Amino acid sequence: MSVTVGVVRFPGTNCDLDTLDALEELGTKTELLRSDDTSLQGVDAVVIPGGFAHGDYLRTGAIARFSPIMDAVALFASAGGPVVGICNGFQVLTEAGLLPGALRPNAGLSFLCQPQQVAMASVNHVLGHGLALSEELSIPINHFEGNYVCDPATLQRLHDNDQVVMRYIGNPNGSVDDIAGICSESRNVVGLMPHPERATSELLGSTDGTRLLNALLHAASTCQLTSATRLEEE
């Protein structure tokens, strides 16, 4: 089944073209969505890529979450549509209330740009198809505010509901419980700090990101949105 993945561009986003290219290399159709759009153009999945949305002023993602496109993303997510936020996109999803917790400056206050080993903590989400529990992947990170935090009650819910998607092997930024990514209780919204679009070629040092993107395409092809949302998007 052919699917179309929408990639959102905010002012300051700088990983949108990388993400589009990585998805197109997998043979899928893509749609570049602007932050001031009010419709997702009927796409089957949404990726909010990395970058510095609105210059990361105020807090990372705090301004972007008020963009018109985010109302459409929230509606799509509530209907079961696959939504993935990468790095800055993860920050936007927490600010928008689509994922719990928050991202704060890295421990040591250093910008991190490096290969990173992560282990799959769950495969019961839209990035899990074809992957095994505890499987290790090499996915690069590129962030200053990637330190995931939440209160103890939220962390307990994440554990109880199997919402921790992946954990760092050798925590680089101080994230609570080594968390590198989480999902919503409904499993269709995922946020992760590592950049899978930067791990799609041996020339880049790893092809492990391709497996995560293929899992997203699988989720998009099997997702059944509510008819009301499909009509709204069309």
Side-chain angles (χ1 to χ4, degrees):
M1 177 180 176
S2 176
V3 299
T4 301
V5 180
V7 177
V8 180
R9 173 187 287 169
F10 298 98
T13 297
N14 64 16
C15 296
D16 48 339
L17 297 183
D18 292 350
T19 305
L20 289 166
D21 287 345
L23 290 166
E24 289 168 3
E25 282 294 315
L26 297 179
T28 194
K29 298 177 182 177
T30 61
E31 186 77 33
L32 182 62
L33 304 171
R34 291 167 48 94
S35 61
D36 56 355
D37 288 339
T38 57
S39 169
L40 299 182
Q41 312 300 327
V43 301
D44 302 290
V46 174
V47 176
I48 304 178
F52 299 89
H54 299 276
D56 283 349
Y57 294 115
L58 185 60
R59 292 188 312 277
T60 50
I63 300 175
R65 65 85 77 230
F66 290 106
S67 299
I69 194 68
M70 289 307 298
D71 289 335
V73 171
L75 178 63
F76 182 75
S78 69
V83 176
V84 173
I86 301 170
C87 197
N88 192 234
F90 185 6
Q91 297 158 341
V92 173
L93 291 177
T94 60
E95 290 287 344
L98 295 179
L99 289 174
L103 284 305
R104 67 181 182 182
N106 300 334
L109 301 180
S110 295
F111 183 85
L112 299 172
C113 182
Q114 63 195 46
Q116 180 64 47
Q117 292 293 121
V118 296
M120 298 301 295
S122 170
V123 293
N124 185 22
H125 49 79
V126 295
L127 294 185
H129 179 75
L131 290 156
L133 192 63
S134 300
E135 184 170 0
E136 296 183 13
L137 304 175
S138 178
I139 311 286
I141 57 173
N142 184 54
H143 59 249
F144 177 72
E145 296 182 272
N147 183 349
Y148 180 78
V149 295
C150 63
D151 59 49
T154 297
L155 182 60
Q156 187 61 53
R157 286 196 298 273
L158 292 176
H159 288 168
D160 292 344
N161 298 326
D162 191 32
Q163 289 177 250
V164 179
V165 168
M166 60 179 65
R167 289 187 171 91
Y168 297 112
I169 299 173
N171 191 331
N173 56 28
S175 291
V176 63
D177 196 33
D178 301 329
I179 289 174
I182 62 172
C183 68
S184 61
E185 289 189 26
S186 53
R187 332 301 302 174
N188 63 305
V189 180
V190 171
L192 69 162
M193 289 310 297
H195 285 261
E197 80 283 1
R198 298 187 183 183
T200 58
S201 167
E202 293 294 350
L203 290 174
L204 298 174
S206 173
T207 60
D208 290 344
T210 301
R211 302 184 64 193
L212 297 174
L213 296 179
N214 272 325
L216 174 62
L217 299 183
H218 173 80
S221 69
T222 57
C223 175
Q224 298 293 322
L225 294 181
T226 65
S227 58
T229 300
R230 180 59 71 190
L231 288 173
E232 177 74 17
E233 283 303 312
E234 292 175 351

